[in-house]
Amino acid sequence: MSKQNDDFFKNVIAHAKEYGFVFPSSEIYDGLSAVYDYGQLGAELKNNLKQYWWKSMVHLHENIVGIDSAIFMHPTIWKASGHVDGFNDPMIDNKDSKKRYRADQLIEDQITRYLNDGKQTEAEQLQADLDQALADDDLGRLKTIIEDQHIVCPVSGTKNWTEVRQFNLMFPTQMGASAEDADTVYLRPETAQGIFVNFLNVQKSGRMKVPFGIAQIGKAFRNEVIARQFIMRMREFEQMELQFFVRPGTELEWYEKWKETRLKWHIALNGDAARYRFHEHAKLAHYANAAVDIEYDFPFGFREVEGIHSRTDFDLAQHQKFSGKKMQYFDPEVNKNYVPYVVETSVGLDRLFLTVLCNAFEEQDLSTEDKKDSRSVLRFHPAVAPIKAAILPLTRKDGLPDKAREILDILRIDYNVQYDEKDSIGKRYRRQDAIGTPFCITVDYQSLDDNTVTIRHRDSMDQERLAIAELEQMIRERTGWKTLLG
Ligand code: GAP
């Protein structure tokens, strides 16, 4: 990461904490690695992002419904899905520092160093070696690469490495009142399996016809070996997943449709197509016949924010095998029973949140010849902004606060609006810019005479006069879901 991008990212993280978006978890106890809490504005932004996803995926599709399945599930589900045996990261410990690393990421860091030094050929060769070792599941080879490349532990600076071992990412826990009858259950590592095991329940109770989708938003847990890059890689995070059930043979057509639909969705939110790209998977998981990531250009480079997979009938067929229950659908159009194929879209809510934060954050120099000035601004799309408008009486006297509170009462039922009377009006504008409020509504002496207010726009900082009676319509037209989904 360049120094400029590194500084920018540090500022984003500091801003997120200072203004109540994201806090390190358990901070007064020195934090808990790779776990974060969302503060008062972060929770609002996150809820708005969930709504954007739910409305576009569920409410705007006649053939998609949403569920909310439990985090705890029968342990055999994770056997059937392959997570018990195969959901592993290769890890390696340094014997001197006692620090644990992902072996593949130590090698990826070395590739990045080659690229930063302009050593393209070395980088490409090492990438090919890494890909081959991972494809072959060859842990010995990973260790040899680390030794041959003279990779040292960033903490101890030594090459005193253990063997590379597989490390399962699921968190096990005990369910049951006493030790004797306790069963090992897992905190789910993805929300998808809650959809697969409810496939028949939803299909029958909702009289759904293939093609149809089941969507879900919920927490997932992975014991990531290393935590990196703020809320990018967490141990507790949230996913928004769709499993779209289709007739076998039509899956690649649907896969292409969902690829395009999902990319457009991201671009509509953040408004900058150049910051996105597709990354097609060269090597496919054993259950997939096509897979692509939507990547966003974070300050630390392009990284996955959403995965789209054509998962064939793998999951339903596995659950059919392990549960002994038929997971089939009778298709009246072709007069046949079959296990549907599935196209999955899976976006991490926290990563999406980070795209929105990085995309919106700007530090602007507003200095003139006579005066130094600057502002921090979060240029969120108005539909997802945590606060839609701030209502600001120019002074704290002469009935202006009463007038402002009348406006607050009109708007607060339908919109998240904020009242603020502390400090000068300039300082209040800056505070609202910093939390991404698209509009400030200023109540002044003229408001008492003619029932108009000043609207100050966050991005242009322009001001205009508007009748109080027209405020509601203005907020609806400029911040409503139609501005994103219309
Ligand atoms: N059901 C498919 C599945 O879980 P995945 O690629 O492992 O696929 C999907 O995860 C998305 O979940 C990723 O694109 C990413 O946005 C998010 N995600 C995965 N692991 C994460 C983590 N440790 N922290 C934050 N987000 C994560």
Side-chain angles (χ1 to χ4, degrees):
M1 183 166 25
S2 71
K3 163 102 179 68
Q4 195 187 359
N5 285 348
D6 190 37
D7 288 347
F8 174 79
F9 194 44
K10 282 187 182 136
N11 290 343
V12 168
I13 297 170
H15 191 89
K17 182 166 181 233
E18 185 179 348
Y19 287 95
F21 285 88
V22 183
F23 306 128
S25 159
S26 323
E27 199 184 6
I28 58 169
Y29 292 95
D30 294 335
L32 184 65
S33 174
V35 186
Y36 288 88
D37 296 334
Y38 286 85
Q40 63 279 17
L41 291 176
E44 295 287 346
L45 177 58
K46 209 171 166 204
N47 281 339
N48 292 345
L49 294 174
K50 285 191 211 181
Q51 270 201 58
Y52 173 41
W53 188 84
W54 194 268
K55 278 180 187 295
S56 62
M57 300 297 272
V58 180
H59 293 175
L60 293 182
H61 284 98
E62 284 176 28
N63 58 346
I64 298 179
V65 290
I67 64 165
D68 182 11
S69 72
I71 287 172
F72 290 131
M73 294 196 272
H74 195 286
T76 309
I77 287 171
W78 304 112
K79 259 315 238 185
S81 67
H83 284 82
V84 169
D85 298 319
F87 195 50
N88 301 316
D89 273 346
M91 64 162 205
I92 189 166
D93 291 9
N94 182 269
K95 291 182 199 163
D96 299 320
S97 67
K98 310 271 182 274
K99 291 276 174 204
R100 178 163 291 174
Y101 300 94
R102 263 178 64 176
D104 55 332
Q105 277 177 356
L106 283 177
I107 300 170
E108 268 169 15
D109 289 346
Q110 177 74 354
I111 294 171
T112 308
R113 278 193 290 275
Y114 279 142
L115 288 172
N116 289 344
D117 294 346
K119 296 181 175 168
Q120 191 71 28
T121 318
E122 284 88 342
E124 280 170 15
Q125 180 58 52
L126 186 52
Q127 184 71 59
D129 285 353
L130 172 62
D131 289 348
Q132 192 59 53
L134 290 175
D136 297 345
D137 245 340
D138 190 344
L139 302 183
R141 177 81 196 124
L142 287 176
K143 169 95 188 277
T144 310
I145 296 176
I146 289 171
E147 285 171 343
D148 290 351
Q149 293 287 328
H150 306 290
I151 295 173
V152 297
C153 166
V155 176
S156 68
T158 71
K159 292 184 247 170
N160 196 6
W161 297 110
T162 61
E163 295 306 306
V164 178
R165 280 166 292 160
Q166 291 290 19
F167 177 77
N168 193 285
L169 297 185
M170 284 198 296
F171 284 102
T173 187
Q174 300 302 122
M175 183 176 261
S178 65
E180 297 86 69
D181 61 16
D183 277 327
T184 298
V185 292
Y186 298 96
L187 297 184
R188 65 181 177 198
E190 62 170 11
T191 60
Q193 298 304 324
I195 296 178
F196 290 125
V197 298
N198 278 297
F199 162 71
L200 282 182
N201 282 337
V202 174
Q203 190 272 318
K204 294 211 160 89
S205 61
R207 292 181 296 127
M208 308 300 291
K209 286 197 170 61
V210 166
F212 74 92
I214 306 178
Q216 161 152 252
I217 299 177
K219 290 267 185 174
F221 304 83
R222 295 182 189 177
N223 197 2
E224 299 285 357
V225 177
I226 50 153
R228 277 223 276 219
Q229 287 145 346
F230 192 38
I231 54 173
M232 186 71 194
R233 189 169 295 283
M234 299 157 88
R235 296 201 165 107
E236 174 180 342
F237 58 100
E238 234 166 320
Q239 290 185 316
M240 306 195 286
E241 299 200 298
L242 165 76
Q243 308 302 324
F244 197 71
F245 301 93
V246 304
R247 192 180 291 162
T250 63
E251 71 276 8
L252 292 180
E253 214 175 293
W254 283 108
Y255 168 78
E256 290 301 329
K257 274 191 195 149
W258 280 114
K259 247 176 84 174
E260 296 310 320
T261 305
R262 294 304 303 151
L263 180 65
K264 275 195 198 137
W265 184 92
H266 284 277
I267 294 171
L269 175 64
N270 277 328
D272 188 354
R275 289 197 163 273
Y276 291 92
R277 71 179 188 197
F278 285 127
H279 170 75
E280 297 276 352
H281 291 206
K283 290 190 185 64
L284 296 171
H286 58 284
Y287 54 78
N289 63 2
V292 70
D293 296 335
I294 296 177
E295 293 187 337
Y296 177 80
D297 188 9
F298 289 98
F300 39 85
F302 274 98
R303 296 284 188 287
E304 171 186 352
V305 57
E306 170 153 0
I308 297 156
H309 306 109
S310 173
R311 295 181 72 121
T312 67
D313 61 353
F314 174 79
D315 301 270
L316 289 180
Q318 283 292 98
H319 289 306
Q320 182 164 277
K321 185 169 143 199
F322 277 73
S323 69
K325 310 276 175 354
K326 281 221 175 319
M327 302 294 274
Q328 293 192 347
Y329 169 78
F330 176 73
D331 189 333
E333 280 180 36
V334 289
N335 202 25
K336 240 168 101 174
N337 272 309
Y338 55 76
V339 178
Y341 272 40
V342 171
V343 176
E344 169 186 73
T345 73
S346 174
V347 56
L349 178 54
D350 311 87
R351 281 193 197 174
L352 179 72
F353 186 104
L354 191 56
T355 69
V356 171
L357 212 53
C358 291
N359 194 69
F361 183 66
E362 224 177 281
E363 286 181 298
Q364 295 176 340
D365 184 358
L366 304 174
S367 301
T368 57
E369 272 182 17
D370 327 313
K371 203 169 131 219
K372 272 196 99 47
D373 195 10
S374 66
R375 70 168 183 163
S376 299
V377 57
L378 284 170
R379 293 156 64 100
F380 295 133
H381 191 293
V384 298
I387 313 279
K388 301 296 184 233
I391 301 147
L392 316 173
L394 191 61
T395 68
R396 290 161 100 161
K397 50 188 193 327
D398 303 328
L400 296 187
D402 296 334
K403 191 79 184 167
R405 285 196 176 278
E406 275 173 32
I407 297 172
L408 182 74
D409 286 340
I410 297 171
L411 296 177
R412 74 195 317 180
I413 293 184
D414 288 318
Y415 304 98
N416 191 21
V417 289
Q418 201 174 67
Y419 175 85
D420 186 7
E421 58 177 28
K422 283 183 226 92
D423 298 321
S424 71
I425 195 74
K427 274 194 183 155
R428 281 181 275 167
Y429 284 159
R430 289 288 190 273
R431 262 205 303 270
Q432 295 300 330
D433 291 342
I435 63 173
T437 307
F439 304 103
C440 287
I441 300 167
T442 308
V443 177
D444 55 19
Y445 288 97
Q446 190 186 331
S447 311
L448 301 180
D449 291 338
D450 65 2
N451 277 316
T452 63
V453 287
T454 299
I455 305 295
R456 189 262 190 185
H457 297 259
R458 176 195 68 197
D459 296 346
S460 63
M461 295 186 281
D462 289 345
Q463 302 196 5
E464 61 178 320
R465 205 75 200 169
L466 197 72
I468 292 172
E470 290 170 30
L471 271 178
E472 217 177 335
Q473 187 186 348
M474 186 281 284
I475 302 277
R476 186 172 55 250
E477 282 175 2
R478 309 263 186 111
T479 74
W481 287 112
K482 276 196 181 153
T483 58
L484 251 181
L485 295 165

